[in-house]
């Protein structure tokens, strides 16, 4: 716990809290978790106007101090000083959406009544002006009894002003204002409305941009088509935009490998660095551009306010399988990664809805599958168009995503009829205003994702590869025997191979399946390591790309079965760990691992047998 | 008139809410969204095929979405606001 004074940023969802937090703290943020819960803790450092640092923590948005979900509980516990691992804040910055005053002021009054030193940030005043609202911060301040600063996260003036006010609060200057006691819900609400009405100087009929856009985006048919089109563009972009930067990264990895070869004498250190480290981790790193492009889309969908519309459109469909549109948001985030996706299920208050969503989240095609899909697709699917500028490779990728989604819906339906049976919960959701995301917020989000990915590559993936390299390099095979088969790993793989041979998996895949439990991307680096070791004495083979070498050793049927396996297989230790934490035990975690492996086996088998029957074996 | 029957984009006021048709947490959430007797309300979109999906409506200055079974618990009236419960006495 930091010894710096603590300031908490608190407010309703969609009050522009995160943008304000980014503007105040910049890119130097620390992401962590509150102990015992998987609620993300976002903190950063803020320099007051006299230069003194304070720690600023961004609390989850909530509508009141009466929590209905685990993340709202954290907000309440922190401001009451009851949260384990966090001291009670020395001051509060309450963030209020200027164009939703009557609603947000009710929570503000509830917070002011706590008696902590408080300043209110009247945020997004630019959007309020767009909607034809003119507000007087002075009236608001007088009525609320605390300082009120008009802010727009991108404009410096309001932020400086906010820092000055905090300065005064942190210096213990006696506030010229007095806290007022909170009444019951209705009294507070009526008081909030009265204050909002007093603070609104002028109100002209707004242009209602949001309502006009919603007529299209929420339309049962047009809106659904737009959603599908957006997702399709997203997956095409992941493939086509990423190729140039990915080639560049691949060039660097190759150069690094050559540098190792040129500087080190042949021997075990050379082999270890080249095959275990550069070959393995490098094969994963080249997928960074694709992962960032995917996160770019997800962050855009969230920041623009579209995500809630997607939930609205999907609600009818989700209702058929016993879920609500709200579950669509964690599921869509799971396209990036199931870990934040499963954490995002915290906003679902119905326990059975939430459990079902957690159980199917790993079926959403996460970014860790991209390296695997990317490798296999570029090796086996020809890079030609199928018309209208649609690439065949992108189309196959899209289909893999569709299989994941359909699999998830069917699984949800089956689970809701059996193990998570119960009343279907409702769908209640706020539809935020549309807004154009600020580039710096997107950049900070992408930066954080890149750091997380590179950390994974440098820790869990590197470690797994080193272990794998050792297991694969010893004992040394006699002449004429393949090293990958003779080694310890090869012998273990022999056992696995008996199980997966019927579904078309060869020995290379059998060998890759075990280390892939650590993280899916390891499948790529593991296969790369297998071939690097086997090709060590074969100069010609070493010059070939991984994809080319795959073409020589795998049939198309095997490649397709391998893809089908990865649509379903629960191979990610982080997902398993977060599921265990969120479901509070091994019972549901074990169930999830079991049913996903069964599905993966069946899907790979059906794919392989069908492909062989069609003559692709 | 129930909120489900309110024509789109016709301003109205909440007359009565059958809180017993909602679970306590649903009721709380709707109250937090600003839905209460006397609040201004306007239906904006009916989602889902054949309009059987959720309803997006404006409550005060906020747009919220709810399913039809919840919207059916809200009785609305059109016409001028009598403001009976809107103003604190």
């Amino acid at each position: 716990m930091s010894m710096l004074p603590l300031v908490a940023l608190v407010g309703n969802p969609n009050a522009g809290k995160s943008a304000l937090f980014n503007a105040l703290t910049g890119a130097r943020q620390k992401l962590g978790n509150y102990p015992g819960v998987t609620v993300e803790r976002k903190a950063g450092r803020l320099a007051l106007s006299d230069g003194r640092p304070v720690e600023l923590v961004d609390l989850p948005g909530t509508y009141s101090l009466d929590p209905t979900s685990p993340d709202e509980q954290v907000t309440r516990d922190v401001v009451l000083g009851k949260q384990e691992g966090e001291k009670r804040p020395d001051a509060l910055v309450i963030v209020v959406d200027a164009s939703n005053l009557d609603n947000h002021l009710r929570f503000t009054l509830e917070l002011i009544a706590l008696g902590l030193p408080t300043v209110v940030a009247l945020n997004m005043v630019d959007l309020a002006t767009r909607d034809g609202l003119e507000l007087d911060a002075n009236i608001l301040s007088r009525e609320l009894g605390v300082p009120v600063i008009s802010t727009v996260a991108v404009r410096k003036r309001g932020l400086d002003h906010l820092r000055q006010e905090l300065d005064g609060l942190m210096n213990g200057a006696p506030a010229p204002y007095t806290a007022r006691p909170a009444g019951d819900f209705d009294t507070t609400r009526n008081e909030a409305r009265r204050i909002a009405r007093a603070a609104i100087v002028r109100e002209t009929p707004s242009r209602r941009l949001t309502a006009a856009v919603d007529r299209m985006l929420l339309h049962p048919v047009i809106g659904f088509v737009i959603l599908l089109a957006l997702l399709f563009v997203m997956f095409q972009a992941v493939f086509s935009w990423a190729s140039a930067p990915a080639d560049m990264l691949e060039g660097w990895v190759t150069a690094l490998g050559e540098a190792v070869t040129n500087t080190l004498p042949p021997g075990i250190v050379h082999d270890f660095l080249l095959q275990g480290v550069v070959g393995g981790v490098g094969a994963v790193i080249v997928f960074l551009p694709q992962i960032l492009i995917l996160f770019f889309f997800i962050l855009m969908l969230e920041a623009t306010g579209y995500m809630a519309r997607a939930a609205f459109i999907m609600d009818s469909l989700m209702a058929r399988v016993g879920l609500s549109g709200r579950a669509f948001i964690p599921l869509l985030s799971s396209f990036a990664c199931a870990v934040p996706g499963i954490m995002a299920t915290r906003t679902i208050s119905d326990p059975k809805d939430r459990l079902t969503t957690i159980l199917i989240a790993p079926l959403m095609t996460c970014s860790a599958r991209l390296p695997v899909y990317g490798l296999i697709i570029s090796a086996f699917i020809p890079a030609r168009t199928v018309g209208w500028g649609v690439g065949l490779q992108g189309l196959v990728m899209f289909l893999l995503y569709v299989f994941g989604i359909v699999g998830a819906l069917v699984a949800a339906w089956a689970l809701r009829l059996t193990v998570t049976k119960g009343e279907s919960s409702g769908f209640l959701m706020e539809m935020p205003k549309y807004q154009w995301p600020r580039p710096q917020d997107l950049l900070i989000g992408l930066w954080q994702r890149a750091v997380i990915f590179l950390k994974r590559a440098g820790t869990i993936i590197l470690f797994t590869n080193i272990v794998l390299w050792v297991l694969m390099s010893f004992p040394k095979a006699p002449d004429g025997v393949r090293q990958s088969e003779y080694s310890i790993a090869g012998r273990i793989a022999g056992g696995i191979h008996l199980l997966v041979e019927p579904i078309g998996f060869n020995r290379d895949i059998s060998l890759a399946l075990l280390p892939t439990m650590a993280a899916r991307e390891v499948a790529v680096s593991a296969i790369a390591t297998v071939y690097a070791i086997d090709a060590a004495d074969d100069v010609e083979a070493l010059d070939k790309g991984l994809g080319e070498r795959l073409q020589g050793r795998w049939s198309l049927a095997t490649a397709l079965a391998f893809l089908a396996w990865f649509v379903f297989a629960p191979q990610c230790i982080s997902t398993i760990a977060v599921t265990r934490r969120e479901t509070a035990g091994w019972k549901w975690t074990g169930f999830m691992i079991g049913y996903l492996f069964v599905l993966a086996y069946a899907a790979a088998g059906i794919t392989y047998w069908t492909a062989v029957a069609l003559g692709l074996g | 008139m129930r909120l489900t029957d309110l024509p789109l984009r016709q301003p109205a006021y909440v007359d009565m809410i059958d809180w017993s048709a909602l679970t306590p947490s649903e009721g709380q959430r709707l109250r937090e969204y600003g839905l209460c007797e006397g609040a201004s309300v306007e239906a904006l979109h009916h989602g889902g095929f054949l309009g059987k999906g959720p309803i997006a409506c404006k409550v005060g200055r906020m747009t919220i979405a709810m399913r039809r079974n919840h919207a059916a618990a809200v009785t609305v009236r059109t016409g001028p606001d009598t403001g009976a419960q809107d103003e604190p006495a």
Side-chain angles (χ1 to χ4, degrees), chain A residues 63-64 66-68 72 99-103 106 133 185-186 189-190 193-194 197 200 203 208 211 214-215 218 220-221 224 312 315-316 319 323-326 349 424-431, chain B residues 9 25-40 42 44-56 58-67 69-70 85-88:
Chain A
Y63 294 95
S64 70
D66 210 349
T68 57
E72 296 178 3
S99 49
N100 204 352
L101 265 192
D102 22 4
N103 213 290
R106 200 203 53 73
L133 268 184
F185 190 95
D186 289 347
R189 183 192 58 217
N190 290 338
R193 288 187 169 188
R194 186 188 62 77
R197 218 165 288 158
I200 293 173
E203 188 177 6
R208 312 233 292 179
D214 271 345
R215 262 182 231 196
L218 295 186
V221 180
F224 191 70
F312 182 88
D315 184 61
S316 304
L323 292 174
S324 85
R326 200 174 262 281
S349 39
S424 164
S425 73
F427 172 61
L428 292 175
M429 199 165 181
E430 182 181 350
M431 307 262 116
Chain B
R9 284 174 278 282
S25 74
E26 287 164 355
Q28 185 197 331
R29 193 33 46 96
L30 282 177
R31 260 194 289 261
E32 287 168 356
Y33 286 160
L35 197 77
C36 60
E37 281 90 353
S40 69
E42 182 184 340
L44 296 175
H45 310 278
H46 286 184
F49 294 98
L50 305 171
K52 294 287 177 220
I55 294 177
K58 194 157 192 158
V59 174
R61 295 184 177 281
M62 206 156 115
T63 307
I64 63 173
M66 64 177 106
R67 283 198 181 149
N69 59 335
H70 293 141
Q85 311 199 28
D86 200 18
E87 299 283 344

Side-chain angles (χ1 to χ4, degrees), chain A residues 259-551:
Chain A
V260 169
T261 309
N262 294 337
T263 47
L264 289 176
I268 190 158
V269 179
H270 165 269
D271 289 354
F272 169 72
L273 282 179
L274 187 68
Q275 300 162 352
V277 179
V278 177
V281 177
V284 172
I285 297 242
V286 297
F287 290 95
L288 181 63
Q290 292 195 336
I291 285 162
L292 289 185
I293 290 170
L294 187 69
F295 269 108
F296 168 77
F297 276 93
I298 301 267
L299 289 170
M300 278 291 276
L301 294 182
E302 270 173 2
T304 51
Y306 181 74
M307 209 59 125
R309 273 71 187 185
F312 182 88
I313 291 177
M314 293 303 287
D315 184 61
S316 304
L317 186 60
M318 302 296 280
R320 294 238 180 115
V321 298
L323 292 174
S324 85
R326 200 174 262 281
F328 185 69
I329 297 176
L331 293 178
L332 195 57
S333 310
S334 299
F335 280 129
C337 175
V339 174
I342 287 172
M343 283 166 65
T345 61
R346 292 175 315 234
T347 60
I348 302 174
S349 39
D350 182 84
K352 286 194 168 152
D353 256 23
R354 180 155 175 261
L355 177 61
T356 313
T357 311
I358 291 173
L359 292 176
I360 63 170
L363 286 169
M364 296 292 125
T365 303
C366 68
S367 56
R369 286 174 175 96
L370 277 176
V372 184
Y373 289 178
L375 175 69
I376 306 296
I377 287 177
S378 52
F380 290 93
I381 308 294
R384 59 182 171 81
T385 64
V386 290
W388 300 303
V390 176
L392 184 60
Q393 292 186 333
L395 186 67
V396 171
M397 181 72 103
F398 182 67
L399 286 177
L400 288 169
Y401 277 84
V402 170
F403 289 147
I405 297 166
V406 172
L409 292 179
V410 173
W413 173 78
L415 291 170
R416 282 302 245 161
L417 283 181
T418 53
V419 290
T420 57
K421 203 159 153 183
E423 276 288 296
S424 164
S425 73
F427 172 61
L428 292 175
M429 199 165 181
E430 182 181 350
M431 307 262 116
K433 283 185 298 290
Y434 287 109
Q435 46 182 314
W436 200 243
R438 292 165 240 272
Q440 60 266 50
D441 293 340
L442 284 177
L443 283 177
I444 288 173
L446 285 178
W447 168 246
Q448 286 166 348
R449 297 303 149 192
V451 168
I452 291 172
F453 174 74
L454 292 175
K455 266 193 190 155
R456 258 164 82 81
T459 53
I460 191 165
I461 294 175
L462 176 65
F463 177 76
T464 316
N465 268 296
I466 291 174
V467 172
L468 181 65
W469 181 84
V470 171
L471 290 179
M472 269 167 54
S473 301
F474 303 101
K476 286 289 172 205
D479 282 349
V481 180
R482 259 175 41 194
Q483 177 64 34
S484 63
E485 284 173 23
Y486 191 77
S487 62
I488 303 172
R491 292 168 206 201
I492 299 172
I496 298 176
H497 190 220
L498 292 178
L499 283 176
V500 294
E501 202 175 8
I503 57 170
F505 286 6
N506 56 27
R507 292 188 67 98
D508 308 339
I509 300 178
S510 311
L511 210 159
L513 284 183
L514 204 58
T516 301
M517 280 309 295
R520 292 184 178 88
E521 304 97 318
V522 171
V524 171
S525 54
I527 291 169
T529 308
V530 173
Y531 292 170
I533 288 178
D534 276 348
D537 305 318
D538 182 352
V539 181
E540 205 177 315
L542 205 56
D543 278 347
K544 285 190 194 163
L546 186 54
E548 265 180 280
R549 271 183 261 164
L550 283 182
Q551 287 166 3

Side-chain angles (χ1 to χ4, degrees), chain A residues 337 339 342 456 460 517-519 571-579:
Chain A
C337 175
V339 174
I342 287 172
R456 258 164 82 81
I460 191 165
M517 280 309 295
Q571 297 197 290
C572 168
I573 207 105
S574 317
T575 304
I576 293 171
V578 78
T579 305

